[in-house]
Amino acid sequence: MSDAMTPADPEPGEAEGADGPGPQPLGVARTAAGDPAVDAQLVRLADADHLAVSGHLEVYEDVHRGLRDALSALDRGPGPSGAPAAPGAPASYDNRS
């Protein structure tokens, strides 16, 4: 017999049966980024550690969407709080005297 996986074989990381091991965390350390929106997505990414490979896509897409939203928020100007714009942001031309 060949050692190659057949379509009937479970994917790596999936439960191999009632007695077999289930999904195992990769043990990849996640370091906080210092931005609450990004850090929340890093926490969400940890959810994939407990899922079979077939469930990873949903988590990855959710995290990607959250990170994209966090980046988009950086592109929006400062809110009505009057906080200064990020360095390198275009100057406001609404300065009337």
Side-chain angles (χ1 to χ4, degrees):
M1 265 208 181
S2 169
D3 289 336
M5 287 182 63
T6 63
D9 290 338
E11 291 182 289
E14 287 188 305
E16 295 177 13
D19 298 328
Q24 299 294 314
L26 293 176
V28 176
R30 291 171 204 61
T31 304
D35 181 283
V38 173
D39 290 340
Q41 297 307 314
L42 292 174
V43 169
R44 170 73 171 117
L45 193 57
D47 291 344
D49 282 346
H50 309 288
L51 298 173
V53 173
S54 61
H56 289 191
L57 182 60
E58 181 181 343
V59 173
Y60 295 156
E61 286 177 343
D62 187 40
V63 169
H64 181 257
R65 186 173 25 259
L67 291 173
R68 189 177 56 231
D69 291 347
L71 284 173
S72 294
L74 292 174
D75 288 338
R76 290 184 219 116
S81 66
S92 172
Y93 294 104
D94 194 20
N95 295 330
R96 299 179 188 158
S97 19

